[in-house]
Amino acid sequence: MQFVQLLISGISQGCIYGLIALGFVLIYKATETVSFAQGELMMLGAFCGLALMTVLGFPFWAAVLASILAMGLFGVVLERAVIRPILGQPAFSIVMLTIGIGYVLRGLVTMIPNIGTETHTLPVPYKDLSFRLGALVLNAEQLVVIAATALLCVLLFALFRYSKLGIAMQASSQNQLAAYYMGIPVQRLNGLAWGLAAAVAAVAGLLLAPITFVHANMGLIGLKAFPAAVVGGFGSLPGAIVGGLVIGIVESLSGFYLPDGFKDTAAYIVVLIMLMVKPNGLFGEKLRKKV
Amino acid sequence: MRFIFKTSYEQDLRLAKHGGHVFWYSLLAVALVAAPWVAPEYWLAQLTFVLIYAIVGLGLMLLAGFTGLFSLGHAAFLGVGAYTQAVLTGMGWPFALSLACAAGLSAAVGVVVGLPALRVKGIYLGMATLSFGFIVEEVFARWESVTGGNSGKHLVPPQIAGYSFESTESFYFLCLVIAVVSTLAILNLLRSPTGRAFVAIRDSEISAQSMGIHLARYKTLSFSISAALAGIGGALYAHKLQFISPDQFNILQSIDLLLMIVIGGLGSVHGAFLGAIFLISMPQLISLSKDWLPTAIGQAPGLQAVVYGVVLIAFVLFEPMGLYGRWLKVRTWLQMFPFYRKGLFKRQKSFQKSDRLK
């Protein structure tokens, strides 16, 4: 029973990692850049929801929808303003650029007087609910995380499988130049990919907020999502979720069965092993080298 | 504008290319040696930190700027050096010997980290080094019998042949000597076949390999040299602060180190020093500017992060060659004065160039 309990908490934590990793992968597939600001976008989404609910008095669902939309828009603007001028430059400078964006976002939130430096709780309707299933205790927060992640995965799958937009995005992620010649507006799609990634990050933030707290440094969890993306294979959307689940479960189990200190490093140990055994990740695509 | 006509290979390999170099660098050397008598003690301490960070920066520059491998866990090497130094000098070893051990152990760890670098590239390498940094930080915190855990570890001032470098001035001179030696070592390395092999790997791995460069060997070598310099820097850093704890060697420190070399100017030895000056002077500048800003902004805790982020973004967008690149442009403008063209240093547009198949 204990094992199942740990498994469930691992899965719900893993869903959060998976959602953030999904953002990395969306951006990586579209623009070949790795965004280190994803955790901060998540933090911003949580703060956005908090502000809408407590300051403007939105009802819960309206606040969730509004903050997801707002973050999506923010992602598009960010891409247009900062990322687009530098596309095609070495990966290193883009990584530094997104680290800079992360610094600015974290700093700006901290600068809001009396709000930025404190921890807040997000008022959600399902707070403190729990179900008993035999000896199992299921928290509503964890179940909501799992359900919302599953729903989001279905939506994204439908988007990429059935909509014209999703298929165009897939095409441009496979070969930008060819897609461009076929009349696909690659640049606009890149912006949309950033918007989508920011919206997914906002979802992750809103889901994580009831479990931990809303805080300016909550974005540092994004560093745990990198292992998730690598384990799944950078550049594979289902891989990101699977990788997140693997990292979440390993972390939860090692926190219980292994001595202190392994919980925080488990994700990184897994990623090192993964890189040694299978550098392309579980679902990574193998590409041929060209000179 | 100065034209140098090279007539022999020896001339091409010389460290000082012309008389101007000799003059200005001698002037700089005189200024640095005279600094303890001129500068107040506080400035001298800051200058010591600049030298220490420059030593670490030189190593990271070799790795990121010249070999093209970037490390997101470089603070871990700094930590390995610092803790080795703390433990060995605590056991009564002489300074020079323990410094050599700190460098050696960091280099050995660097080789271990360099091994995954043979298989993975780009962002995957970033992940490997990031993971390594986290694990090492956790080891520092947990291995209490050696590192003292989270309560940290104290150090004594370095001693060479009975002379203790307790005063700010004497420790400054010690750092200055080590910094000069490591700069010369890096400069000489860069004009040797090894250094050229590093640059070749950075520019194109496949071309380098087809020219007969053993990729695995040179990548590990680059990692180990870089880690050794970080270890030396870490040891000096530990002596300067006289107290170390695991949280000084975390991911934020690693990112600071990267920020330093990017802002200094990737791929230039000057960049390591300019970046170190920037990194040390930035907090001072921010706290000075606080008096001029409205209190709501000036006293806000996030100001420093915002300034760092904005500076970093601005450099990547507008000045990818960093402070050293800016200086080159100013110098060229002065030399060419009425004939400077606007697009002289313009970046090539490389939109839609794929990195994925590299």
Side-chain angles (χ1 to χ4, degrees), chain B residues 161-224:
Chain B
Y163 178 77
S164 175
F165 289 82
E166 259 172 86
S167 65
T168 318
E169 289 84 12
S170 58
F171 191 70
Y172 166 76
F173 277 120
L174 184 67
C175 290
L176 184 62
V177 169
I178 295 176
V180 169
V181 170
S182 15
T183 314
L184 287 176
I186 288 288
L187 283 175
N188 280 320
L189 181 74
L190 284 175
R191 55 185 188 148
S192 74
T194 317
R196 284 165 189 271
F198 288 159
V199 176
I201 291 175
R202 175 192 72 186
D203 290 344
S204 165
E205 273 190 19
I206 295 176
S207 319
Q209 200 171 17
S210 60
M211 296 299 284
I213 290 169
H214 196 298
L215 284 187
R217 190 180 302 152
Y218 281 99
K219 280 186 178 178
T220 354
L221 186 65
S222 177
F223 253 104
S224 59

Coordinates of all heavy atoms in Angstrom, one line a residue, chain B residues 161-224:
Chain B
A161 N 56.9 28.7 3.1 CA 58.2 28.7 3.8 C 58.1 29.5 5.0 O 59.0 30.4 5.2 CB 59.3 29.2 2.8
G162 N 57.1 29.4 5.8 CA 57.0 30.1 7.1 C 56.4 31.5 7.0 O 56.1 32.0 8.0
Y163 N 56.3 32.0 5.8 CA 55.8 33.4 5.6 C 54.3 33.2 5.4 O 53.8 32.5 4.6 CB 56.4 34.1 4.5 CG 55.8 35.5 4.3 CD1 56.2 36.5 5.1 CD2 54.8 35.7 3.3 CE1 55.6 37.8 5.0 CE2 54.3 37.0 3.1 CZ 54.7 38.0 4.0 OH 54.1 39.2 3.8
S164 N 53.5 33.9 6.3 CA 52.0 33.8 6.2 C 51.5 35.0 5.4 O 51.8 36.1 5.7 CB 51.5 33.8 7.6 OG 50.1 33.8 7.5
F165 N 50.6 34.6 4.4 CA 50.0 35.7 3.6 C 48.7 36.2 4.2 O 47.7 36.0 3.7 CB 49.7 35.1 2.2 CG 50.9 34.9 1.4 CD1 51.6 33.7 1.5 CD2 51.4 35.8 0.4 CE1 52.8 33.5 0.8 CE2 52.5 35.6 -0.3 CZ 53.2 34.4 -0.2
E166 N 48.9 36.8 5.4 CA 47.7 37.2 6.2 C 47.2 38.5 5.6 O 46.0 38.7 5.5 CB 48.1 37.3 7.6 CG 47.6 36.1 8.4 CD 48.1 36.2 9.8 OE1 47.5 36.8 10.6 OE2 49.2 35.6 10.1
S167 N 48.1 39.5 5.3 CA 47.6 40.8 5.0 C 46.9 40.8 3.6 O 47.2 40.0 2.8 CB 48.7 41.8 5.0 OG 49.7 41.5 4.0
T168 N 46.1 41.8 3.4 CA 45.4 42.0 2.1 C 46.5 42.1 1.0 O 46.3 41.5 -0.1 CB 44.5 43.2 2.1 OG1 43.9 43.2 3.3 CG2 43.5 43.1 1.0
E169 N 47.5 42.9 1.3 CA 48.5 43.2 0.2 C 49.3 41.9 -0.2 O 49.4 41.6 -1.4 CB 49.6 44.2 0.7 CG 49.0 45.6 0.8 CD 48.3 45.8 2.2 OE1 48.5 45.0 3.1 OE2 47.7 46.9 2.3
S170 N 49.7 41.1 0.8 CA 50.5 40.0 0.5 C 49.7 38.9 -0.3 O 50.1 38.3 -1.2 CB 51.1 39.4 1.7 OG 50.1 39.0 2.6
F171 N 48.4 38.8 0.1 CA 47.6 37.8 -0.6 C 47.3 38.3 -2.0 O 47.2 37.5 -2.9 CB 46.3 37.6 0.2 CG 45.5 36.4 -0.3 CD1 45.9 35.1 -0.1 CD2 44.3 36.6 -1.0 CE1 45.2 34.0 -0.6 CE2 43.6 35.5 -1.5 CZ 44.1 34.2 -1.3
Y172 N 47.1 39.6 -2.1 CA 46.9 40.2 -3.5 C 48.1 39.8 -4.4 O 47.9 39.4 -5.5 CB 46.8 41.7 -3.4 CG 46.9 42.4 -4.7 CD1 45.9 42.4 -5.6 CD2 48.1 43.1 -5.0 CE1 46.0 43.1 -6.8 CE2 48.2 43.8 -6.2 CZ 47.2 43.7 -7.1 OH 47.3 44.4 -8.3
F173 N 49.3 40.0 -3.9 CA 50.5 39.6 -4.7 C 50.5 38.2 -5.1 O 50.9 37.8 -6.2 CB 51.8 40.0 -4.0 CG 52.1 41.5 -4.2 CD1 52.2 42.3 -3.1 CD2 52.3 42.0 -5.4 CE1 52.5 43.7 -3.3 CE2 52.5 43.3 -5.6 CZ 52.6 44.2 -4.5
L174 N 50.1 37.3 -4.1 CA 50.1 35.9 -4.4 C 49.1 35.6 -5.5 O 49.5 34.9 -6.5 CB 49.6 35.1 -3.1 CG 49.6 33.6 -3.2 CD1 51.0 33.1 -3.3 CD2 49.0 33.0 -2.0
C175 N 47.9 36.2 -5.5 CA 46.9 36.0 -6.5 C 47.4 36.5 -7.8 O 47.2 36.0 -8.9 CB 45.6 36.6 -6.2 SG 44.8 35.8 -4.8
L176 N 48.1 37.7 -7.8 CA 48.6 38.3 -9.0 C 49.6 37.4 -9.7 O 49.5 37.2 -10.9 CB 49.2 39.7 -8.6 CG 49.7 40.5 -9.8 CD1 48.5 40.9 -10.7 CD2 50.4 41.8 -9.4
V177 N 50.5 36.9 -8.9 CA 51.5 36.0 -9.5 C 50.8 34.8 -10.2 O 51.1 34.4 -11.3 CB 52.5 35.5 -8.5 CG1 53.4 34.4 -9.0 CG2 53.4 36.7 -8.0
I178 N 49.9 34.2 -9.4 CA 49.2 33.0 -10.0 C 48.4 33.3 -11.2 O 48.4 32.6 -12.2 CB 48.4 32.3 -8.9 CG1 49.3 31.8 -7.8 CG2 47.6 31.2 -9.5 CD1 48.5 31.2 -6.6
A179 N 47.7 34.5 -11.2 CA 46.9 34.9 -12.4 C 47.8 35.2 -13.6 O 47.5 34.7 -14.7 CB 46.1 36.2 -12.0
V180 N 49.0 35.8 -13.4 CA 49.9 36.1 -14.5 C 50.4 34.8 -15.1 O 50.4 34.6 -16.3 CB 51.0 37.0 -14.0 CG1 52.1 37.1 -15.1 CG2 50.5 38.4 -13.7
V181 N 50.8 33.9 -14.2 CA 51.3 32.6 -14.6 C 50.2 31.8 -15.4 O 50.5 31.3 -16.5 CB 51.8 31.7 -13.5 CG1 52.1 30.3 -13.9 CG2 53.0 32.4 -12.8
S182 N 49.0 31.8 -14.9 CA 48.0 31.1 -15.7 C 47.6 31.8 -17.0 O 47.3 31.1 -18.0 CB 46.7 30.8 -14.8 OG 46.6 31.6 -13.7
T183 N 47.6 33.1 -17.0 CA 47.4 33.8 -18.3 C 48.4 33.4 -19.3 O 48.1 33.1 -20.5 CB 47.3 35.3 -18.1 OG1 46.6 35.6 -16.9 CG2 46.8 36.0 -19.3
L184 N 49.7 33.5 -18.9 CA 50.7 33.1 -19.8 C 50.6 31.7 -20.3 O 50.8 31.3 -21.4 CB 52.1 33.3 -19.2 CG 52.5 34.8 -19.0 CD1 53.8 34.9 -18.3 CD2 52.6 35.5 -20.4
A185 N 50.2 30.8 -19.3 CA 50.1 29.4 -19.7 C 49.0 29.2 -20.7 O 49.2 28.5 -21.7 CB 49.8 28.6 -18.4
I186 N 47.9 29.9 -20.5 CA 46.8 29.8 -21.5 C 47.2 30.4 -22.8 O 46.9 29.8 -23.9 CB 45.5 30.5 -20.9 CG1 44.9 29.7 -19.8 CG2 44.5 30.7 -22.0 CD1 44.2 28.4 -20.2
L187 N 47.8 31.5 -22.8 CA 48.2 32.2 -24.1 C 49.2 31.3 -24.8 O 49.0 31.1 -26.1 CB 48.9 33.5 -23.8 CG 48.0 34.7 -23.4 CD1 48.8 35.9 -23.1 CD2 47.1 35.0 -24.6
N188 N 50.1 30.6 -24.1 CA 51.0 29.7 -24.8 C 50.3 28.5 -25.3 O 50.6 28.0 -26.4 CB 52.2 29.4 -23.8 CG 53.2 30.5 -23.8 OD1 53.5 31.1 -24.8 ND2 53.7 30.8 -22.6
L189 N 49.4 28.0 -24.5 CA 48.6 26.8 -24.9 C 47.9 27.1 -26.2 O 47.8 26.3 -27.1 CB 47.6 26.4 -23.8 CG 46.8 25.2 -24.1 CD1 47.7 24.0 -24.0 CD2 45.6 25.1 -23.2
L190 N 47.3 28.3 -26.3 CA 46.5 28.7 -27.4 C 47.2 28.8 -28.7 O 46.7 28.6 -29.8 CB 45.7 30.0 -27.2 CG 44.5 29.8 -26.2 CD1 43.9 31.1 -25.9 CD2 43.5 28.8 -26.8
R191 N 48.5 29.1 -28.6 CA 49.3 29.2 -29.9 C 50.0 27.9 -30.1 O 50.8 27.8 -31.1 CB 50.2 30.4 -29.8 CG 51.2 30.4 -28.7 CD 52.0 31.7 -28.7 NE 53.0 31.6 -27.7 CZ 54.2 32.2 -27.7 NH1 54.5 32.9 -28.8 NH2 55.1 32.0 -26.8
S192 N 49.8 26.9 -29.3 CA 50.4 25.6 -29.5 C 49.5 24.8 -30.4 O 48.3 25.1 -30.6 CB 50.7 24.9 -28.2 OG 49.5 24.4 -27.7
P193 N 50.0 23.6 -30.9 CA 49.1 22.8 -31.7 C 47.9 22.4 -30.9 O 46.8 22.2 -31.5 CB 50.0 21.6 -32.0 CG 51.4 22.1 -31.9 CD 51.4 23.2 -30.9
T194 N 48.0 22.1 -29.6 CA 46.9 21.7 -28.8 C 45.8 22.8 -28.9 O 44.6 22.5 -29.1 CB 47.3 21.5 -27.3 OG1 48.5 20.8 -27.3 CG2 46.3 20.8 -26.6
G195 N 46.2 24.1 -28.7 CA 45.2 25.1 -28.7 C 44.5 25.3 -30.0 O 43.3 25.5 -30.1
R196 N 45.3 25.1 -31.1 CA 44.7 25.2 -32.4 C 43.7 24.0 -32.6 O 42.7 24.2 -33.3 CB 45.8 25.2 -33.5 CG 46.5 26.5 -33.5 CD 47.8 26.4 -34.3 NE 48.5 27.7 -34.1 CZ 48.3 28.7 -35.0 NH1 47.4 28.6 -36.0 NH2 48.9 29.8 -34.8
A197 N 44.0 22.8 -32.0 CA 43.1 21.7 -32.1 C 41.8 22.1 -31.4 O 40.7 21.8 -32.0 CB 43.7 20.5 -31.5
F198 N 41.9 22.7 -30.3 CA 40.7 23.1 -29.6 C 39.8 24.0 -30.4 O 38.6 23.8 -30.6 CB 41.0 23.9 -28.3 CG 41.6 23.0 -27.2 CD1 42.4 23.6 -26.2 CD2 41.4 21.6 -27.2 CE1 42.9 22.8 -25.2 CE2 41.9 20.8 -26.2 CZ 42.7 21.4 -25.2
V199 N 40.4 25.0 -31.0 CA 39.7 25.9 -31.8 C 39.1 25.2 -33.1 O 37.9 25.5 -33.4 CB 40.6 27.1 -32.3 CG1 39.8 28.0 -33.2 CG2 41.0 27.9 -31.1
A200 N 39.8 24.3 -33.6 CA 39.3 23.5 -34.7 C 38.1 22.7 -34.3 O 37.1 22.7 -35.1 CB 40.4 22.6 -35.3
I201 N 38.1 22.1 -33.1 CA 36.9 21.4 -32.7 C 35.7 22.3 -32.5 O 34.6 22.0 -32.8 CB 37.3 20.7 -31.3 CG1 38.3 19.6 -31.5 CG2 36.0 20.1 -30.7 CD1 38.7 18.9 -30.3
R202 N 36.0 23.5 -32.0 CA 34.9 24.5 -31.8 C 34.3 24.8 -33.1 O 33.1 24.8 -33.3 CB 35.4 25.7 -31.1 CG 34.4 26.8 -31.0 CD 35.0 28.1 -30.7 NE 35.8 28.7 -31.8 CZ 36.5 29.8 -31.7 NH1 36.6 30.5 -30.5 NH2 37.2 30.3 -32.7
D203 N 35.1 25.0 -34.1 CA 34.6 25.5 -35.4 C 33.8 24.4 -36.2 O 32.8 24.7 -36.7 CB 35.7 26.1 -36.3 CG 36.2 27.4 -35.7 OD1 35.4 28.0 -34.8 OD2 37.3 27.9 -36.0
S204 N 34.4 23.2 -36.2 CA 33.7 22.1 -36.8 C 34.3 20.8 -36.4 O 35.4 20.5 -36.7 CB 33.7 22.2 -38.4 OG 33.3 21.0 -38.9
E205 N 33.5 20.1 -35.7 CA 34.0 18.8 -35.2 C 34.4 17.9 -36.3 O 35.5 17.2 -36.2 CB 33.0 18.1 -34.3 CG 33.0 18.6 -32.9 CD 32.2 17.8 -32.0 OE1 31.8 16.6 -32.3 OE2 31.8 18.2 -30.9
I206 N 33.6 17.8 -37.3 CA 33.8 16.8 -38.3 C 35.0 17.2 -39.1 O 35.9 16.3 -39.4 CB 32.6 16.7 -39.2 CG1 31.4 16.1 -38.4 CG2 32.8 15.8 -40.4 CD1 30.1 16.0 -39.1
S207 N 35.2 18.5 -39.4 CA 36.4 18.9 -40.2 C 37.6 18.6 -39.3 O 38.6 18.2 -39.8 CB 36.3 20.4 -40.5 OG 35.0 20.7 -40.9
A208 N 37.5 18.9 -38.0 CA 38.7 18.7 -37.1 C 39.1 17.3 -37.1 O 40.2 16.9 -37.3 CB 38.3 19.2 -35.7
Q209 N 38.0 16.4 -37.1 CA 38.3 15.0 -37.0 C 39.0 14.5 -38.3 O 39.9 13.7 -38.3 CB 37.0 14.2 -36.8 CG 37.2 12.8 -36.3 CD 35.9 12.2 -35.9 OE1 34.8 12.7 -36.3 NE2 36.0 11.2 -35.1
S210 N 38.5 15.1 -39.4 CA 39.1 14.7 -40.7 C 40.5 15.2 -40.9 O 41.2 14.8 -41.8 CB 38.2 15.0 -41.9 OG 38.0 16.4 -41.9
M211 N 40.9 16.2 -40.1 CA 42.3 16.7 -40.2 C 43.2 15.9 -39.2 O 44.3 16.2 -39.0 CB 42.3 18.2 -39.8 CG 41.6 19.1 -40.7 SD 42.2 19.1 -42.3 CE 43.7 20.0 -42.1
G212 N 42.6 14.9 -38.6 CA 43.4 14.0 -37.8 C 43.5 14.4 -36.3 O 44.4 14.0 -35.6
I213 N 42.5 15.2 -35.9 CA 42.5 15.5 -34.4 C 41.6 14.5 -33.7 O 40.5 14.2 -34.1 CB 41.8 16.9 -34.3 CG1 42.8 18.0 -34.8 CG2 41.5 17.2 -32.8 CD1 42.2 19.3 -34.9
H214 N 42.3 13.9 -32.6 CA 41.6 12.9 -31.9 C 40.6 13.6 -30.9 O 40.9 14.2 -29.9 CB 42.7 12.2 -31.0 CG 42.2 10.9 -30.5 ND1 41.1 10.8 -29.6 CD2 42.6 9.6 -30.7 CE1 40.9 9.6 -29.3 NE2 41.8 8.8 -29.9
L215 N 39.3 13.6 -31.4 CA 38.3 14.4 -30.7 C 38.2 14.0 -29.2 O 38.2 14.9 -28.3 CB 36.9 14.1 -31.3 CG 36.6 14.8 -32.6 CD1 35.1 14.5 -32.9 CD2 36.8 16.2 -32.5
A216 N 38.2 12.7 -28.9 CA 38.0 12.3 -27.5 C 39.1 12.8 -26.6 O 38.9 13.4 -25.6 CB 38.0 10.8 -27.4
R217 N 40.4 12.7 -27.1 CA 41.5 13.1 -26.3 C 41.5 14.6 -26.1 O 41.6 15.0 -24.9 CB 42.8 12.7 -27.0 CG 44.0 12.9 -26.2 CD 45.3 12.5 -27.0 NE 45.2 11.1 -27.4 CZ 45.9 10.7 -28.5 NH1 46.6 11.6 -29.3 NH2 45.8 9.4 -28.9
Y218 N 41.2 15.4 -27.1 CA 41.3 16.8 -26.9 C 40.1 17.4 -26.1 O 40.3 18.3 -25.4 CB 41.4 17.5 -28.3 CG 42.8 17.4 -28.8 CD1 43.1 16.5 -29.8 CD2 43.8 18.3 -28.3 CE1 44.4 16.4 -30.2 CE2 45.1 18.2 -28.8 CZ 45.4 17.3 -29.8 OH 46.7 17.2 -30.2
K219 N 39.0 16.8 -26.2 CA 37.8 17.2 -25.4 C 38.1 17.0 -24.0 O 37.8 17.8 -23.1 CB 36.6 16.5 -25.9 CG 35.9 17.1 -27.1 CD 34.6 16.5 -27.4 CE 33.9 17.0 -28.6 NZ 32.6 16.3 -28.8
T220 N 38.6 15.8 -23.6 CA 38.9 15.5 -22.2 C 40.0 16.4 -21.7 O 39.9 16.9 -20.6 CB 39.3 14.0 -22.0 OG1 39.2 13.3 -23.2 CG2 38.5 13.3 -21.0
L221 N 41.0 16.6 -22.6 CA 42.1 17.5 -22.2 C 41.6 18.9 -21.9 O 41.9 19.5 -20.8 CB 43.1 17.5 -23.3 CG 44.4 18.3 -23.0 CD1 45.1 17.6 -21.9 CD2 45.3 18.4 -24.2
S222 N 40.7 19.4 -22.7 CA 40.1 20.7 -22.5 C 39.4 20.8 -21.2 O 39.5 21.7 -20.4 CB 39.2 21.1 -23.7 OG 38.6 22.3 -23.4
F223 N 38.6 19.7 -20.9 CA 37.8 19.7 -19.7 C 38.8 19.7 -18.5 O 38.6 20.4 -17.5 CB 36.9 18.4 -19.6 CG 35.5 18.7 -19.8 CD1 34.9 18.5 -21.0 CD2 34.8 19.3 -18.7 CE1 33.5 18.8 -21.1 CE2 33.5 19.6 -18.9 CZ 32.8 19.3 -20.1
S224 N 39.9 18.9 -18.6 CA 40.7 18.8 -17.4 C 41.5 20.0 -17.2 O 41.7 20.5 -16.0 CB 41.6 17.6 -17.5 OG 42.4 17.7 -18.7

